Amino acid sequence: MALWRALLSLVLLCGFNLASAAPAGFSAWAEAAGPQHRTSLSVQLQAGTADQGRAGQLYIAANTPDGQWYSFTPAGWLHAPNGDVQPYQAVTLGQHRVALLRQMDLRGLEGTAIYAGYGQSVAEVLARQSYTRVYYVGSTLAGAPDAGDWLQFSINVQDFSYPELSAAAVTRIVDLHEQYRLPVDIYFSDTMLDLYQSGYPSLLERLRSSPFVGLNYHMRPPKPYYLNYDWAGLANLSASAQTAEIQAYESVRVDLTTGQRTGTPGGYQQLRTLGDNARIAIVPAMQADEKFLDATATAFKNLGATWTLAHTGGALNLGDSARGLYLRPEHYDLKLFELTGQTGQAVVEAAFTAARALPGARAPFFVGAKMHDNDFFAQKSAWNVVYVDGGKRPPWNPALKSALKSSADQAAQWAIYESALAYGSSQRQRFGFANAPGLAQLRATAQDAGGPQLHVSGTMHIESVPTNWPNVDDLIAFFRRAVVAGKVGTQATGMRWSIGADIGWLNGEARAGEVIRTLQPLGVEFDVHAHSAADRAACAERIRALGGTPNAVASGLLNTEIDGLRQPQRGSTGSSWQAETLWGLVTGVGHGTDSDDTAAGLWRPRSASDWKAHDPAGNLAAVGNGGRTLQAAEALANSLLTGSHVMPIYSVTLNVAPKTLTIVDTSDGIAQIEAWAARVGLLAPVRWSSISATAAAFRAAGGLPSRVNPAASGTAAQARPRRP
């Protein structure tokens, strides 16, 4: 109907959601999984309490940026000319789930809004306002969908001393993010939520309805479970009593003078009632005292929380969890308010360089760009002035105020924030951007693809030095057993292997052709392994001459060779060979201390100098070896079973020494490999795969980076600076 088009156009133009007066008990929201180029989407709808059990129709519609409307029907998405939206299904109203998209590429559809509702007719849906926007393409996730580097902008709203300046700052921030079309998380303290509800309701409604804003929550004093603030003696209570007290605190407003609970609704529970139906992740920042963390986590979970964030520790990876709550990922805390006078480009690039080097970090790498509302106007935050400078015990004087910053200092804060935002926007082809709902969508990537897979390959390097050459008969016997090892459970084959032989062995071993012609029919591939660009082409040519087929794996290389391998390698005789996959990256000749990269997982190296960074447009895929041993591979396989690894494809490789036919740096030979493969092959994530097949699986799954940095020597992770 034209009426549908007219009224919903009003929604889009005015920037708010008409469903604020919807039937009591009505809600609808989207469940999204995967990056933007492989998005799965379903809608959950609950009819209003008074309507449940009645006959009605479900309506699902999409409005694209060019103004066109589409109806979702049992036959799929159909164009709805003139806004004549058709019903999806006649139902008995209650709770309903409708699958809309399955790993669909939504690039080019940014700005498309999806609505869901119910009623007897379109006219009734509009009249009763029994609909809501459930999804907006390109708002909670933006930029490169297969990025390795992700920026998260977050604003802590906390300055109750100057609420009018806080509101002005937040308004300007939302203006900027809507201008650049980049997501942002707004973290409210309970006090600021109260002030915005009473003094700035239109701004709060804008925050609630803007598709680019994630509404979240953070704790501040005078709550007695805040870090080092137990003025109320909560430590003397039992764990269950602590949980009950904290849950009660997070359901009402708090008196700023006494720290006592009031009878007025407030806290985290109040924020959840304001959260737009499209936002399933409302993150509470629980800066609780260590002794109250368990009780605090339980209280917030009881109130509906599924995520939180941490403030200390090492790498916080997407997929990590603690106390039953998912952790917001962060590998570098970019405190923009401390970096005035610098450029956005400089601080963002430096942050990502540090993030990618963090021991134990898993791609994608996340930089949290953080500001507070008071950073833009006050020398100190209100809570610092009142609850730190004013002591940590009641009564407090909330009328105390910080001095304001000079105009120059205020301008400097805006300059660094806008510079970081503008630079990030200019790098959309390589950066991703997410707020809390976007993180929830990304976290479900592997689960939506059927679970993460660990592709386990085996390889061997035969160098040119004859003293390290294997006995040919022993070599062939080894591989006859190795290719059937692990054919257990659902594994279609045994382990898959490759050999990277240098030009000296290919030319000097009299039985090299016999080895190639015998092993290749068994499934053993031949990578190109050489120590010069000219020799790579020569190796490929020699493998062909001996009756084999070289693959496109450059096996063993210096990081300085990466850029040269993007082009065909030409030999002295005019032959050429083109690499597609890299394995065995080292940073120094001779495999010196710490020169071998032992990361697991896959990525596309950006350049010779920035080789740990993932380039979504790169033409070379790097396959990480994960340590090259049986123990390392099994540990990663078991880790994938925990659900903490959220990318679809990971990799490890077993590396066998040619002379001893044992795993490098161990005494594990074919008998140990067979026993190991029989056990590990039964683990759900494990896929036997060659290096080249691993790279192919990575590309087929969307090219999503999964590099896993090795942990620091002797520790699980490297500690990061404590955040305020």
Side-chain angles (χ1 to χ4, degrees), residues 230-242 291-292:
D230 186 17
W231 53 266
L234 297 188
N236 298 322
L237 302 179
S238 67
S240 60
Q242 289 175 1
K291 57 182 172 289
F292 301 136

Side-chain angles (χ1 to χ4, degrees), residues 53 55 87 221 226 298 323 382 398 409 417 471 476:
Y226 190 83
T298 301
R323 295 179 172 85
D409 286 345
Y417 191 79
N471 176 280
I476 292 173

